[in-house]
Amino acid sequence: MSPAQTLDKPPVTPANSQKYDVNENYEGEYRFAPIEESQVSRAMIRRYFNTMYERAISDVVIVGAGSAGLSCAYQLASTRPELKITIIEASVAPGGGAWLGGQLMTPMVIRKPADRFLREIGVEYEDEGPFVVVKHAALFTSTLLSRVLAMPNVVLMNATAVEDLMVHEDFQGKQRVAGVVTNWTLVALNHDTQSCMDPNTITAPVIISATGHDGPMGAFSAKRLVSTGLLKELGNMRGLDMNRAEPAIVNGTREVVPGLILTGMELSEHDGSNRMGPTFGAMIGSGVKAAHEAIRILDS
Ligand code: 48N
């Protein structure tokens, strides 16, 4: 049989699908339905590259899938299900710094009123009065990630880095961020080991950057604003002060240049606000506020 003939031949027709079932006690032989390796490859390739084609023009791009970026994605996608939201995450594993509570300890502290978001996404916690504690940071992050990925209007491209911003001039000659320049992260991190490996682009009227304050590409967009002259200099994150840091970041979440909203710890590097250490309420509040800022821009 020529390979083409195996292209979409379904290995199991409904009539004989019972042959590949196994009883609840797993008694008897466990047999998989037959498959061609090429069908596995084509099942992935078709979907991934159709998505890349379709999301080359998105409504909103969120850079960074840490606690701020994911909180923003959840709020935006649930509030405006018609928006095409594309999340670009440099790591293979999304979640950023929110898999642990702090210094490798697992419980996650979230100060009120950010606990409201936990009830919204269905994460249990212990109430300690002014703050709550989620038993494991991964419970928060995995729940939030699963809610975001279940939304039909959200696409996550992980292991993909934003390695530049698209900047256009509007009709008044004002510079506006109009999209992102992307590459697979391993390529983006190895430009100096090879000749230039050209990137890809995603065009969108609103970019929300949530690339954190540390890591190989921390505060990426804020730093790019400086190197492209759209920002005179970074404010640089200040020392730890929980009571100053968290409200400053939530209340400071905004469109810093036309078309670009900064959220989460990246904003502390842009503005020079304090860091808060191992408490995550501001990441949630800033992410949610960034979603409302994006809607304001899109509706204006
Ligand atoms: O978790 P992070 O680093 O960033 P946030 O702002 O979502 O949350 C920050 C929070 O975890 C803290 O730092 C806590 C509250 N500590 C405060 C303190 O005082 O220390 O997530 C950023 C994500 C990561 O997953 C990166 O891999 C990703 O952004 N990223 C990128 N993705 C795509 N393209 C890039 N250029 C890029 N740069 C970073």
PDB file of all heavy atoms in Angstrom, residues 63-69 88-91 93-98 160-163 210-214 217-218 220 237 240 263-266 275-280 283, ligand 1:
ATOM      1  N   VAL A  63       3.014  38.398  26.789  1.00  0.00           N
ATOM      2  CA  VAL A  63       4.384  37.870  26.779  1.00  0.00           C
ATOM      3  C   VAL A  63       4.713  37.419  28.198  1.00  0.00           C
ATOM      4  O   VAL A  63       4.764  38.254  29.117  1.00  0.00           O
ATOM      5  CB  VAL A  63       5.399  38.933  26.334  1.00  0.00           C
ATOM      6  CG1 VAL A  63       6.789  38.316  26.123  1.00  0.00           C
ATOM      7  CG2 VAL A  63       4.929  39.628  25.057  1.00  0.00           C
ATOM      8  N   GLY A  64       4.879  36.126  28.382  1.00  0.00           N
ATOM      9  CA  GLY A  64       5.212  35.612  29.709  1.00  0.00           C
ATOM     10  C   GLY A  64       4.008  34.969  30.380  1.00  0.00           C
ATOM     11  O   GLY A  64       2.980  35.625  30.574  1.00  0.00           O
ATOM     12  N   ALA A  65       4.144  33.690  30.707  1.00  0.00           N
ATOM     13  CA  ALA A  65       3.036  32.948  31.338  1.00  0.00           C
ATOM     14  C   ALA A  65       3.377  32.648  32.798  1.00  0.00           C
ATOM     15  O   ALA A  65       3.317  31.506  33.252  1.00  0.00           O
ATOM     16  CB  ALA A  65       2.763  31.649  30.581  1.00  0.00           C
ATOM     17  N   GLY A  66       3.760  33.701  33.514  1.00  0.00           N
ATOM     18  CA  GLY A  66       3.929  33.570  34.961  1.00  0.00           C
ATOM     19  C   GLY A  66       2.612  33.928  35.634  1.00  0.00           C
ATOM     20  O   GLY A  66       1.561  33.986  34.973  1.00  0.00           O
ATOM     21  N   SER A  67       2.643  34.200  36.940  1.00  0.00           N
ATOM     22  CA  SER A  67       1.382  34.449  37.655  1.00  0.00           C
ATOM     23  C   SER A  67       0.680  35.705  37.136  1.00  0.00           C
ATOM     24  O   SER A  67      -0.547  35.721  37.016  1.00  0.00           O
ATOM     25  CB  SER A  67       1.649  34.560  39.161  1.00  0.00           C
ATOM     26  OG  SER A  67       2.759  35.401  39.425  1.00  0.00           O
ATOM     27  N   ALA A  68       1.429  36.726  36.777  1.00  0.00           N
ATOM     28  CA  ALA A  68       0.778  37.948  36.269  1.00  0.00           C
ATOM     29  C   ALA A  68       0.217  37.700  34.870  1.00  0.00           C
ATOM     30  O   ALA A  68      -0.944  38.022  34.583  1.00  0.00           O
ATOM     31  CB  ALA A  68       1.775  39.109  36.247  1.00  0.00           C
ATOM     32  N   GLY A  69       1.019  37.110  33.996  1.00  0.00           N
ATOM     33  CA  GLY A  69       0.556  36.881  32.629  1.00  0.00           C
ATOM     34  C   GLY A  69      -0.638  35.940  32.579  1.00  0.00           C
ATOM     35  O   GLY A  69      -1.602  36.178  31.833  1.00  0.00           O
ATOM     36  N   ILE A  88       2.803  34.037  24.632  1.00  0.00           N
ATOM     37  CA  ILE A  88       4.130  33.587  24.218  1.00  0.00           C
ATOM     38  C   ILE A  88       4.964  33.369  25.483  1.00  0.00           C
ATOM     39  O   ILE A  88       5.134  34.288  26.280  1.00  0.00           O
ATOM     40  CB  ILE A  88       4.831  34.630  23.329  1.00  0.00           C
ATOM     41  CG1 ILE A  88       3.949  35.001  22.133  1.00  0.00           C
ATOM     42  CG2 ILE A  88       6.193  34.119  22.852  1.00  0.00           C
ATOM     43  CD1 ILE A  88       3.738  33.906  21.127  1.00  0.00           C
ATOM     44  N   GLU A  89       5.430  32.152  25.679  1.00  0.00           N
ATOM     45  CA  GLU A  89       6.195  31.803  26.888  1.00  0.00           C
ATOM     46  C   GLU A  89       7.524  31.167  26.491  1.00  0.00           C
ATOM     47  O   GLU A  89       7.552  30.163  25.787  1.00  0.00           O
ATOM     48  CB  GLU A  89       5.376  30.849  27.763  1.00  0.00           C
ATOM     49  CG  GLU A  89       6.161  30.162  28.864  1.00  0.00           C
ATOM     50  CD  GLU A  89       6.946  31.136  29.762  1.00  0.00           C
ATOM     51  OE1 GLU A  89       6.334  32.099  30.263  1.00  0.00           O
ATOM     52  OE2 GLU A  89       8.164  30.932  29.929  1.00  0.00           O
ATOM     53  N   ALA A  90       8.608  31.770  26.992  1.00  0.00           N
ATOM     54  CA  ALA A  90       9.948  31.347  26.570  1.00  0.00           C
ATOM     55  C   ALA A  90      10.310  29.957  27.101  1.00  0.00           C
ATOM     56  O   ALA A  90      10.969  29.177  26.427  1.00  0.00           O
ATOM     57  CB  ALA A  90      10.985  32.366  27.029  1.00  0.00           C
ATOM     58  N   SER A  91       9.860  29.646  28.307  1.00  0.00           N
ATOM     59  CA  SER A  91      10.224  28.328  28.868  1.00  0.00           C
ATOM     60  C   SER A  91       9.349  27.232  28.276  1.00  0.00           C
ATOM     61  O   SER A  91       8.231  27.495  27.822  1.00  0.00           O
ATOM     62  CB  SER A  91      10.038  28.340  30.393  1.00  0.00           C
ATOM     63  OG  SER A  91      10.838  29.352  30.952  1.00  0.00           O
ATOM     64  N   ALA A  93       8.162  25.003  30.256  1.00  0.00           N
ATOM     65  CA  ALA A  93       7.127  24.921  31.298  1.00  0.00           C
ATOM     66  C   ALA A  93       6.614  26.324  31.619  1.00  0.00           C
ATOM     67  O   ALA A  93       7.361  27.153  32.152  1.00  0.00           O
ATOM     68  CB  ALA A  93       7.686  24.290  32.560  1.00  0.00           C
ATOM     69  N   PRO A  94       5.340  26.621  31.330  1.00  0.00           N
ATOM     70  CA  PRO A  94       4.777  27.909  31.744  1.00  0.00           C
ATOM     71  C   PRO A  94       4.669  27.940  33.276  1.00  0.00           C
ATOM     72  O   PRO A  94       4.855  26.918  33.927  1.00  0.00           O
ATOM     73  CB  PRO A  94       3.382  27.911  31.113  1.00  0.00           C
ATOM     74  CG  PRO A  94       3.290  26.696  30.266  1.00  0.00           C
ATOM     75  CD  PRO A  94       4.360  25.764  30.669  1.00  0.00           C
ATOM     76  N   GLY A  95       4.393  29.137  33.813  1.00  0.00           N
ATOM     77  CA  GLY A  95       4.215  29.236  35.265  1.00  0.00           C
ATOM     78  C   GLY A  95       5.204  30.176  35.923  1.00  0.00           C
ATOM     79  O   GLY A  95       4.987  30.671  37.021  1.00  0.00           O
ATOM     80  N   GLY A  96       6.326  30.445  35.241  1.00  0.00           N
ATOM     81  CA  GLY A  96       7.295  31.401  35.780  1.00  0.00           C
ATOM     82  C   GLY A  96       7.736  31.014  37.176  1.00  0.00           C
ATOM     83  O   GLY A  96       8.031  29.862  37.463  1.00  0.00           O
ATOM     84  N   GLY A  97       7.711  32.044  38.082  1.00  0.00           N
ATOM     85  CA  GLY A  97       8.216  31.820  39.444  1.00  0.00           C
ATOM     86  C   GLY A  97       7.148  31.338  40.402  1.00  0.00           C
ATOM     87  O   GLY A  97       7.323  31.423  41.618  1.00  0.00           O
ATOM     88  N   ALA A  98       6.024  30.872  39.880  1.00  0.00           N
ATOM     89  CA  ALA A  98       4.897  30.585  40.801  1.00  0.00           C
ATOM     90  C   ALA A  98       4.717  29.096  41.060  1.00  0.00           C
ATOM     91  O   ALA A  98       3.627  28.641  41.408  1.00  0.00           O
ATOM     92  CB  ALA A  98       3.610  31.183  40.232  1.00  0.00           C
ATOM     93  N   THR A 160       8.780  29.376  23.186  1.00  0.00           N
ATOM     94  CA  THR A 160       8.854  30.418  22.151  1.00  0.00           C
ATOM     95  C   THR A 160       9.129  31.747  22.839  1.00  0.00           C
ATOM     96  O   THR A 160       8.472  32.079  23.831  1.00  0.00           O
ATOM     97  CB  THR A 160       7.518  30.499  21.389  1.00  0.00           C
ATOM     98  OG1 THR A 160       7.225  29.207  20.840  1.00  0.00           O
ATOM     99  CG2 THR A 160       7.593  31.523  20.262  1.00  0.00           C
ATOM    100  N   ALA A 161      10.141  32.457  22.345  1.00  0.00           N
ATOM    101  CA  ALA A 161      10.535  33.712  23.002  1.00  0.00           C
ATOM    102  C   ALA A 161      10.129  34.917  22.160  1.00  0.00           C
ATOM    103  O   ALA A 161      10.134  34.845  20.928  1.00  0.00           O
ATOM    104  CB  ALA A 161      12.054  33.733  23.203  1.00  0.00           C
ATOM    105  N   VAL A 162       9.749  35.981  22.850  1.00  0.00           N
ATOM    106  CA  VAL A 162       9.642  37.282  22.168  1.00  0.00           C
ATOM    107  C   VAL A 162      11.049  37.876  22.197  1.00  0.00           C
ATOM    108  O   VAL A 162      11.624  38.080  23.263  1.00  0.00           O
ATOM    109  CB  VAL A 162       8.633  38.199  22.877  1.00  0.00           C
ATOM    110  CG1 VAL A 162       8.820  39.644  22.440  1.00  0.00           C
ATOM    111  CG2 VAL A 162       7.203  37.724  22.609  1.00  0.00           C
ATOM    112  N   GLU A 163      11.610  38.081  21.013  1.00  0.00           N
ATOM    113  CA  GLU A 163      12.994  38.587  20.988  1.00  0.00           C
ATOM    114  C   GLU A 163      13.073  40.006  20.462  1.00  0.00           C
ATOM    115  O   GLU A 163      14.160  40.551  20.295  1.00  0.00           O
ATOM    116  CB  GLU A 163      13.900  37.642  20.209  1.00  0.00           C
ATOM    117  CG  GLU A 163      13.565  37.378  18.777  1.00  0.00           C
ATOM    118  CD  GLU A 163      14.609  36.474  18.124  1.00  0.00           C
ATOM    119  OE1 GLU A 163      15.159  35.584  18.782  1.00  0.00           O
ATOM    120  OE2 GLU A 163      14.895  36.704  16.943  1.00  0.00           O
ATOM    121  N   ALA A 210       4.650  40.586  30.537  1.00  0.00           N
ATOM    122  CA  ALA A 210       4.686  40.100  31.927  1.00  0.00           C
ATOM    123  C   ALA A 210       5.892  39.177  32.077  1.00  0.00           C
ATOM    124  O   ALA A 210       5.761  37.988  32.416  1.00  0.00           O
ATOM    125  CB  ALA A 210       3.392  39.349  32.233  1.00  0.00           C
ATOM    126  N   THR A 211       7.073  39.720  31.768  1.00  0.00           N
ATOM    127  CA  THR A 211       8.259  38.860  31.661  1.00  0.00           C
ATOM    128  C   THR A 211       9.081  38.826  32.939  1.00  0.00           C
ATOM    129  O   THR A 211      10.232  38.399  32.934  1.00  0.00           O
ATOM    130  CB  THR A 211       9.155  39.328  30.496  1.00  0.00           C
ATOM    131  OG1 THR A 211       9.566  40.664  30.749  1.00  0.00           O
ATOM    132  CG2 THR A 211       8.421  39.262  29.166  1.00  0.00           C
ATOM    133  N   GLY A 212       8.489  39.337  34.043  1.00  0.00           N
ATOM    134  CA  GLY A 212       9.153  39.169  35.331  1.00  0.00           C
ATOM    135  C   GLY A 212      10.362  40.062  35.515  1.00  0.00           C
ATOM    136  O   GLY A 212      10.689  40.907  34.688  1.00  0.00           O
ATOM    137  N   HIS A 213      11.070  39.842  36.638  1.00  0.00           N
ATOM    138  CA  HIS A 213      12.214  40.728  36.938  1.00  0.00           C
ATOM    139  C   HIS A 213      13.527  39.973  36.907  1.00  0.00           C
ATOM    140  O   HIS A 213      14.588  40.549  37.039  1.00  0.00           O
ATOM    141  CB  HIS A 213      12.057  41.374  38.317  1.00  0.00           C
ATOM    142  CG  HIS A 213      12.124  40.420  39.455  1.00  0.00           C
ATOM    143  ND1 HIS A 213      13.270  40.184  40.176  1.00  0.00           N
ATOM    144  CD2 HIS A 213      11.190  39.607  40.007  1.00  0.00           C
ATOM    145  CE1 HIS A 213      13.021  39.292  41.137  1.00  0.00           C
ATOM    146  NE2 HIS A 213      11.775  38.919  41.028  1.00  0.00           N
ATOM    147  N   ASP A 214      13.474  38.649  36.740  1.00  0.00           N
ATOM    148  CA  ASP A 214      14.748  37.927  36.660  1.00  0.00           C
ATOM    149  C   ASP A 214      14.625  36.830  35.606  1.00  0.00           C
ATOM    150  O   ASP A 214      13.678  36.843  34.823  1.00  0.00           O
ATOM    151  CB  ASP A 214      15.145  37.349  38.030  1.00  0.00           C
ATOM    152  CG  ASP A 214      14.026  36.487  38.618  1.00  0.00           C
ATOM    153  OD1 ASP A 214      13.069  36.204  37.865  1.00  0.00           O
ATOM    154  OD2 ASP A 214      14.109  36.117  39.787  1.00  0.00           O
ATOM    155  N   MET A 217      15.538  36.244  30.434  1.00  0.00           N
ATOM    156  CA  MET A 217      15.036  37.371  29.644  1.00  0.00           C
ATOM    157  C   MET A 217      14.152  38.272  30.493  1.00  0.00           C
ATOM    158  O   MET A 217      13.246  38.929  30.003  1.00  0.00           O
ATOM    159  CB  MET A 217      14.229  36.832  28.463  1.00  0.00           C
ATOM    160  CG  MET A 217      15.010  35.910  27.557  1.00  0.00           C
ATOM    161  SD  MET A 217      13.867  35.176  26.374  1.00  0.00           S
ATOM    162  CE  MET A 217      14.979  34.178  25.472  1.00  0.00           C
ATOM    163  N   GLY A 218      14.398  38.306  31.795  1.00  0.00           N
ATOM    164  CA  GLY A 218      13.530  39.088  32.694  1.00  0.00           C
ATOM    165  C   GLY A 218      13.412  40.539  32.263  1.00  0.00           C
ATOM    166  O   GLY A 218      14.357  41.141  31.762  1.00  0.00           O
ATOM    167  N   PHE A 220      12.043  41.803  29.787  1.00  0.00           N
ATOM    168  CA  PHE A 220      12.479  41.924  28.395  1.00  0.00           C
ATOM    169  C   PHE A 220      11.965  43.189  27.723  1.00  0.00           C
ATOM    170  O   PHE A 220      12.738  43.980  27.161  1.00  0.00           O
ATOM    171  CB  PHE A 220      12.041  40.706  27.569  1.00  0.00           C
ATOM    172  CG  PHE A 220      12.415  40.855  26.121  1.00  0.00           C
ATOM    173  CD1 PHE A 220      13.690  40.540  25.701  1.00  0.00           C
ATOM    174  CD2 PHE A 220      11.508  41.372  25.204  1.00  0.00           C
ATOM    175  CE1 PHE A 220      14.074  40.729  24.382  1.00  0.00           C
ATOM    176  CE2 PHE A 220      11.880  41.562  23.871  1.00  0.00           C
ATOM    177  CZ  PHE A 220      13.165  41.251  23.470  1.00  0.00           C
ATOM    178  N   MET A 237      14.176  47.774  39.918  1.00  0.00           N
ATOM    179  CA  MET A 237      13.428  47.303  41.088  1.00  0.00           C
ATOM    180  C   MET A 237      14.163  47.680  42.389  1.00  0.00           C
ATOM    181  O   MET A 237      15.374  47.536  42.484  1.00  0.00           O
ATOM    182  CB  MET A 237      13.298  45.780  40.970  1.00  0.00           C
ATOM    183  CG  MET A 237      12.606  45.071  42.078  1.00  0.00           C
ATOM    184  SD  MET A 237      12.470  43.295  41.734  1.00  0.00           S
ATOM    185  CE  MET A 237      14.159  42.759  42.022  1.00  0.00           C
ATOM    186  N   LEU A 240      13.182  45.149  49.145  1.00  0.00           N
ATOM    187  CA  LEU A 240      11.929  44.497  49.516  1.00  0.00           C
ATOM    188  C   LEU A 240      11.156  45.305  50.559  1.00  0.00           C
ATOM    189  O   LEU A 240      11.683  45.678  51.615  1.00  0.00           O
ATOM    190  CB  LEU A 240      12.216  43.090  50.051  1.00  0.00           C
ATOM    191  CG  LEU A 240      10.999  42.154  50.128  1.00  0.00           C
ATOM    192  CD1 LEU A 240      11.414  40.713  49.867  1.00  0.00           C
ATOM    193  CD2 LEU A 240      10.242  42.270  51.430  1.00  0.00           C
ATOM    194  N   THR A 263       2.945  44.526  33.179  1.00  0.00           N
ATOM    195  CA  THR A 263       2.276  43.977  34.362  1.00  0.00           C
ATOM    196  C   THR A 263       3.241  43.083  35.145  1.00  0.00           C
ATOM    197  O   THR A 263       4.266  42.651  34.618  1.00  0.00           O
ATOM    198  CB  THR A 263       1.021  43.167  33.967  1.00  0.00           C
ATOM    199  OG1 THR A 263       0.409  42.616  35.137  1.00  0.00           O
ATOM    200  CG2 THR A 263       1.358  42.023  33.034  1.00  0.00           C
ATOM    201  N   GLY A 264       2.917  42.876  36.435  1.00  0.00           N
ATOM    202  CA  GLY A 264       3.744  41.996  37.258  1.00  0.00           C
ATOM    203  C   GLY A 264       5.087  42.624  37.586  1.00  0.00           C
ATOM    204  O   GLY A 264       5.254  43.847  37.594  1.00  0.00           O
ATOM    205  N   MET A 265       6.071  41.745  37.834  1.00  0.00           N
ATOM    206  CA  MET A 265       7.359  42.245  38.308  1.00  0.00           C
ATOM    207  C   MET A 265       8.140  42.992  37.223  1.00  0.00           C
ATOM    208  O   MET A 265       9.064  43.759  37.539  1.00  0.00           O
ATOM    209  CB  MET A 265       8.199  41.097  38.861  1.00  0.00           C
ATOM    210  CG  MET A 265       7.680  40.576  40.184  1.00  0.00           C
ATOM    211  SD  MET A 265       7.384  41.891  41.395  1.00  0.00           S
ATOM    212  CE  MET A 265       9.050  42.326  41.839  1.00  0.00           C
ATOM    213  N   GLU A 266       7.782  42.792  35.953  1.00  0.00           N
ATOM    214  CA  GLU A 266       8.449  43.595  34.914  1.00  0.00           C
ATOM    215  C   GLU A 266       8.191  45.084  35.149  1.00  0.00           C
ATOM    216  O   GLU A 266       9.064  45.934  34.919  1.00  0.00           O
ATOM    217  CB  GLU A 266       7.962  43.188  33.527  1.00  0.00           C
ATOM    218  CG  GLU A 266       8.672  43.969  32.424  1.00  0.00           C
ATOM    219  CD  GLU A 266       8.478  43.418  31.034  1.00  0.00           C
ATOM    220  OE1 GLU A 266       7.683  42.477  30.838  1.00  0.00           O
ATOM    221  OE2 GLU A 266       9.173  43.926  30.129  1.00  0.00           O
ATOM    222  N   ARG A 275      10.298  45.510  45.500  1.00  0.00           N
ATOM    223  CA  ARG A 275       9.894  44.117  45.346  1.00  0.00           C
ATOM    224  C   ARG A 275       9.146  43.687  46.601  1.00  0.00           C
ATOM    225  O   ARG A 275       9.294  44.300  47.656  1.00  0.00           O
ATOM    226  CB  ARG A 275      11.105  43.232  45.095  1.00  0.00           C
ATOM    227  CG  ARG A 275      12.092  43.163  46.255  1.00  0.00           C
ATOM    228  CD  ARG A 275      13.347  42.463  45.895  1.00  0.00           C
ATOM    229  NE  ARG A 275      13.086  41.103  45.424  1.00  0.00           N
ATOM    230  CZ  ARG A 275      14.072  40.267  45.102  1.00  0.00           C
ATOM    231  NH1 ARG A 275      15.336  40.656  45.188  1.00  0.00           N
ATOM    232  NH2 ARG A 275      13.790  39.045  44.680  1.00  0.00           N
ATOM    233  N   MET A 276       8.342  42.638  46.476  1.00  0.00           N
ATOM    234  CA  MET A 276       7.542  42.210  47.619  1.00  0.00           C
ATOM    235  C   MET A 276       7.969  40.847  48.151  1.00  0.00           C
ATOM    236  O   MET A 276       7.456  40.406  49.167  1.00  0.00           O
ATOM    237  CB  MET A 276       6.051  42.174  47.268  1.00  0.00           C
ATOM    238  CG  MET A 276       5.613  41.046  46.360  1.00  0.00           C
ATOM    239  SD  MET A 276       6.285  41.186  44.711  1.00  0.00           S
ATOM    240  CE  MET A 276       5.261  42.526  44.092  1.00  0.00           C
ATOM    241  N   GLY A 277       8.853  40.165  47.457  1.00  0.00           N
ATOM    242  CA  GLY A 277       9.259  38.857  47.972  1.00  0.00           C
ATOM    243  C   GLY A 277       8.153  37.824  47.798  1.00  0.00           C
ATOM    244  O   GLY A 277       7.353  37.918  46.876  1.00  0.00           O
ATOM    245  N   PRO A 278       8.044  36.865  48.713  1.00  0.00           N
ATOM    246  CA  PRO A 278       7.225  35.656  48.492  1.00  0.00           C
ATOM    247  C   PRO A 278       5.747  35.847  48.823  1.00  0.00           C
ATOM    248  O   PRO A 278       5.169  35.146  49.643  1.00  0.00           O
ATOM    249  CB  PRO A 278       7.863  34.643  49.437  1.00  0.00           C
ATOM    250  CG  PRO A 278       8.352  35.466  50.578  1.00  0.00           C
ATOM    251  CD  PRO A 278       8.794  36.784  49.981  1.00  0.00           C
ATOM    252  N   THR A 279       5.123  36.837  48.156  1.00  0.00           N
ATOM    253  CA  THR A 279       3.679  37.011  48.274  1.00  0.00           C
ATOM    254  C   THR A 279       3.168  37.400  46.896  1.00  0.00           C
ATOM    255  O   THR A 279       3.787  38.217  46.213  1.00  0.00           O
ATOM    256  CB  THR A 279       3.315  38.067  49.346  1.00  0.00           C
ATOM    257  OG1 THR A 279       1.914  38.316  49.281  1.00  0.00           O
ATOM    258  CG2 THR A 279       4.057  39.364  49.141  1.00  0.00           C
ATOM    259  N   PHE A 280       2.050  36.763  46.463  1.00  0.00           N
ATOM    260  CA  PHE A 280       1.695  36.798  45.042  1.00  0.00           C
ATOM    261  C   PHE A 280       0.414  37.568  44.727  1.00  0.00           C
ATOM    262  O   PHE A 280      -0.025  37.593  43.585  1.00  0.00           O
ATOM    263  CB  PHE A 280       1.567  35.361  44.522  1.00  0.00           C
ATOM    264  CG  PHE A 280       2.901  34.664  44.408  1.00  0.00           C
ATOM    265  CD1 PHE A 280       3.537  34.136  45.516  1.00  0.00           C
ATOM    266  CD2 PHE A 280       3.529  34.561  43.176  1.00  0.00           C
ATOM    267  CE1 PHE A 280       4.780  33.515  45.421  1.00  0.00           C
ATOM    268  CE2 PHE A 280       4.769  33.931  43.051  1.00  0.00           C
ATOM    269  CZ  PHE A 280       5.394  33.409  44.187  1.00  0.00           C
ATOM    270  N   MET A 283       0.678  40.067  41.872  1.00  0.00           N
ATOM    271  CA  MET A 283       0.777  39.499  40.519  1.00  0.00           C
ATOM    272  C   MET A 283      -0.622  39.249  39.973  1.00  0.00           C
ATOM    273  O   MET A 283      -0.913  39.542  38.816  1.00  0.00           O
ATOM    274  CB  MET A 283       1.580  38.201  40.559  1.00  0.00           C
ATOM    275  CG  MET A 283       3.006  38.383  41.064  1.00  0.00           C
ATOM    276  SD  MET A 283       3.964  39.577  40.109  1.00  0.00           S
ATOM    277  CE  MET A 283       3.879  41.036  41.138  1.00  0.00           C
TER     278      MET A 283
HETATM  279  O1  48N B   1       6.817  34.603  37.308  1.00  0.00           O
HETATM  280  P1  48N B   1       7.516  35.517  36.358  1.00  0.00           P
HETATM  281  O2  48N B   1       8.971  35.674  36.458  1.00  0.00           O
HETATM  282  O3  48N B   1       6.914  37.005  36.419  1.00  0.00           O
HETATM  283  P2  48N B   1       5.551  37.548  37.042  1.00  0.00           P
HETATM  284  O4  48N B   1       5.656  39.029  36.995  1.00  0.00           O
HETATM  285  O5  48N B   1       4.390  36.867  36.421  1.00  0.00           O
HETATM  286  O6  48N B   1       5.599  37.059  38.566  1.00  0.00           O
HETATM  287  C1  48N B   1       6.692  37.456  39.356  1.00  0.00           C
HETATM  288  C2  48N B   1       6.622  36.676  40.647  1.00  0.00           C
HETATM  289  O7  48N B   1       6.826  35.286  40.405  1.00  0.00           O
HETATM  290  C3  48N B   1       7.725  37.144  41.561  1.00  0.00           C
HETATM  291  O8  48N B   1       8.816  37.431  41.091  1.00  0.00           O
HETATM  292  C4  48N B   1       7.479  37.135  43.042  1.00  0.00           C
HETATM  293  C5  48N B   1       6.186  37.820  43.413  1.00  0.00           C
HETATM  294  N1  48N B   1       8.651  37.691  43.685  1.00  0.00           N
HETATM  295  C6  48N B   1       8.879  38.938  43.876  1.00  0.00           C
HETATM  296  C7  48N B   1      10.232  39.305  44.372  1.00  0.00           C
HETATM  297  O9  48N B   1      10.338  40.245  45.189  1.00  0.00           O
HETATM  298  O10 48N B   1      11.208  38.602  43.984  1.00  0.00           O
HETATM  299  O11 48N B   1       7.117  35.028  34.887  1.00  0.00           O
HETATM  300  C8  48N B   1       7.677  35.641  33.745  1.00  0.00           C
HETATM  301  C9  48N B   1       7.569  34.663  32.597  1.00  0.00           C
HETATM  302  C10 48N B   1       8.520  33.466  32.766  1.00  0.00           C
HETATM  303  O12 48N B   1       7.779  32.258  32.589  1.00  0.00           O
HETATM  304  C11 48N B   1       9.537  33.651  31.654  1.00  0.00           C
HETATM  305  O13 48N B   1       9.972  32.419  31.076  1.00  0.00           O
HETATM  306  C12 48N B   1       8.741  34.436  30.631  1.00  0.00           C
HETATM  307  O14 48N B   1       7.946  35.318  31.398  1.00  0.00           O
HETATM  308  N2  48N B   1       9.560  35.291  29.758  1.00  0.00           N
HETATM  309  C13 48N B   1       9.383  35.374  28.417  1.00  0.00           C
HETATM  310  N3  48N B   1       8.523  34.725  27.597  1.00  0.00           N
HETATM  311  C14 48N B   1       8.612  35.033  26.278  1.00  0.00           C
HETATM  312  N4  48N B   1       9.488  35.920  25.758  1.00  0.00           N
HETATM  313  C15 48N B   1      10.361  36.585  26.565  1.00  0.00           C
HETATM  314  N5  48N B   1      11.203  37.479  26.049  1.00  0.00           N
HETATM  315  C16 48N B   1      10.330  36.311  27.957  1.00  0.00           C
HETATM  316  N6  48N B   1      11.031  36.773  29.033  1.00  0.00           N
HETATM  317  C17 48N B   1      10.559  36.139  30.116  1.00  0.00           C
END
